Amino acid sequence: MSNVEHEIQTLKQKIIAKVRHPFLSKFIPEPVIDEDKLMLLSSIMDDTALPEVKKEQYIITTMLVQVALDTHDLVTLTDEDEEQETVRSRQLTVLAGDYYSGMYYYLLSQLDDIPMIHTLASAIKDINEQKMELYYKDVGSFQEFMNGLRDIESLLIQRVASYVQRTTINDVAGEWLLTKKLLNEKKNIQNNGFSPLFDLLLKSPRTNTSYSQMMNTVENIIQKNMSRLEMTISQLPLHFNQLKSYVHSTLDDHNYTKQFAEEG
C-alpha cells in the first residue's frame, strides 16, 4: 500500500469512527465513505499551508457533510401501506442523516471557524435546492439533467477548494465525480436491473427518451467526460501527481483508458 493509500484509509477510518453510533448501527447499514471525494479533498488540503490538524479537520468535517447528504438521499417516499419495520427504518435513516450533520457543526465549533461553517452551510443549501430541481421537477433537457447532477456531485468539493483558494482542482472534480456517478449507476443496472437516477430520466416527459437511447447517451457522456478528464488532469500542477495516479488507476479499472487508445 502506497503512502497516499495509507493516508486515505486512515482518514476513512477516522470518519467511520465519528459516524458510528451503537443504536443506529443495529437498524441501518453503516454509511459508505466516498473515497473519490476523500481523495480530492486530501489532494486539495495537501496543496495548502494549513496546519496538519486543521487540514484533517476540514477533510473530516466536509466528509461528514457528504455522509449526511448521502444518508438523507436514502430516504424513500412514504407509502401508506408500508410495513411498520420499513417506516421505522426510514425514520432512523432521517435521524442518522441529522446526527451526521450535527457532528460536523460540533467539530467545526471546536475550531471556532465560522467562515468554514458558512461555506459548508451554503453548499448544503445549494445542493439541496439542486436536488429539488432535479428530482421533483421536470428538467428541460438531458444535458440540463447532467449539469444538475454534476453540481450535486461536485459542488461541496468545489466550494471547499474555493475556500482554501485551490480552485485548479474544480474542473477535474466536476468531470470526475459526474463520470463516477454515471459509472456507478450503470453498475446498479448491471447488478440489480434498476437505477433510481436513470428511472428519473425515463419518467421525465421533457427528456423524451427510450431506455436504449438513454443508455447510449449516458455511454457517450461517460466517454467524452473521460477524454476531457484525461486532458484536464494532465494540466494540473506537479503536486497533484498522487491524484493523477489515482484517477488513472480508476480509469484502468474501468478499461476506459484502453478503449480511448483503441478508438483514437
Side-chain angles (χ1 to χ4, degrees):
M1 182 181 291
S2 67
N3 289 339
V4 67
E5 289 174 327
H6 177 73
E7 179 184 348
I8 293 300
Q9 291 306 313
T10 299
L11 285 167
K12 186 175 178 180
Q13 290 307 311
K14 288 182 179 181
I15 296 164
I16 290 173
K18 293 289 184 185
V19 300
R20 185 176 286 126
H21 191 286
F23 175 75
L24 292 173
S25 62
K26 293 179 182 179
F27 300 100
I28 61 175
E30 194 169 79
V32 176
I33 310 300
D34 191 321
E35 291 192 14
D36 298 309
K37 292 175 183 176
L38 184 54
M39 182 67 193
L40 284 164
L41 282 170
S42 179
S43 299
I44 291 166
M45 294 303 161
D46 284 346
D47 189 38
T48 70
L50 292 168
E52 291 301 319
V53 172
K54 202 157 194 174
K55 288 180 184 179
E56 183 174 296
Q57 198 77 6
Y58 280 175
I59 293 170
I60 291 175
T61 51
T62 303
M63 288 305 298
L64 285 173
V65 172
Q66 188 63 60
V67 168
L69 290 167
D70 292 343
T71 301
H72 281 141
D73 281 349
L74 297 176
V75 181
T76 55
L77 297 176
T78 303
D79 186 336
E80 293 179 358
D81 297 327
E82 279 183 342
E83 296 180 0
Q84 184 176 354
E85 190 66 26
T86 304
V87 173
R88 184 169 73 160
S89 176
R90 178 186 297 108
Q91 291 169 338
L92 287 170
T93 302
V94 173
L95 177 64
D98 292 341
Y99 171 71
Y100 304 145
S101 296
M103 283 298 300
Y104 84 82
Y105 278 120
Y106 170 70
L107 291 171
L108 282 177
S109 69
Q110 292 181 312
L111 279 179
D112 191 26
D113 201 329
I114 301 301
M116 184 60 165
I117 292 176
H118 175 75
T119 296
L120 295 176
S122 175
I124 292 169
K125 172 181 173 293
D126 291 343
I127 289 170
N128 284 332
E129 286 179 354
Q130 189 63 257
K131 285 180 179 179
M132 291 295 292
E133 290 286 328
L134 204 65
Y135 299 159
Y136 300 108
K137 296 182 180 180
D138 289 334
V139 294
S141 65
F142 199 101
Q143 188 58 53
E144 185 179 331
F145 187 95
M146 288 298 152
N147 291 342
L149 185 59
R150 178 188 287 107
D151 288 344
I152 290 170
E153 289 299 309
S154 61
L155 193 145
L156 181 62
I157 304 296
Q158 292 171 340
R159 291 288 177 83
V160 172
S162 296
Y163 179 73
V164 296
Q165 300 179 357
R166 293 298 182 272
T167 56
T168 52
I169 204 73
N170 281 356
D171 286 343
V172 168
E175 297 289 349
W176 177 234
L177 294 177
L178 172 62
T179 303
K180 283 303 297 285
K181 180 66 174 178
L182 295 177
L183 287 169
N184 288 337
E185 292 302 315
K186 276 186 58 182
K187 188 175 180 180
N188 283 339
I189 289 180
Q190 292 167 355
N191 294 341
N192 308 315
F194 177 72
S195 159
L197 182 70
F198 292 164
D199 192 50
L200 277 175
L201 273 170
L202 285 174
K203 289 179 178 178
S204 175
R206 294 191 181 182
T207 54
N208 190 28
T209 185
S210 66
Y211 178 82
S212 59
Q213 288 173 330
M214 178 193 67
M215 293 308 298
N216 285 335
T217 303
V218 167
E219 186 65 29
N220 287 334
I221 289 172
I222 289 172
Q223 292 191 23
K224 288 178 181 177
N225 281 4
M226 288 290 192
S227 183
R228 284 197 299 267
L229 185 62
E230 287 280 353
M231 179 179 65
T232 306
I233 203 167
S234 68
Q235 296 171 352
L236 287 177
L238 287 175
H239 45 255
F240 285 112
N241 276 350
Q242 294 286 2
L243 177 62
K244 293 181 184 181
S245 297
Y246 176 86
V247 173
H248 282 301
S249 175
T250 309
L251 294 182
D252 289 341
D253 289 343
H254 288 282
N255 295 319
Y256 274 95
T257 304
K258 180 180 178 182
Q259 182 175 335
F260 283 136
E262 290 174 349
E263 291 177 354

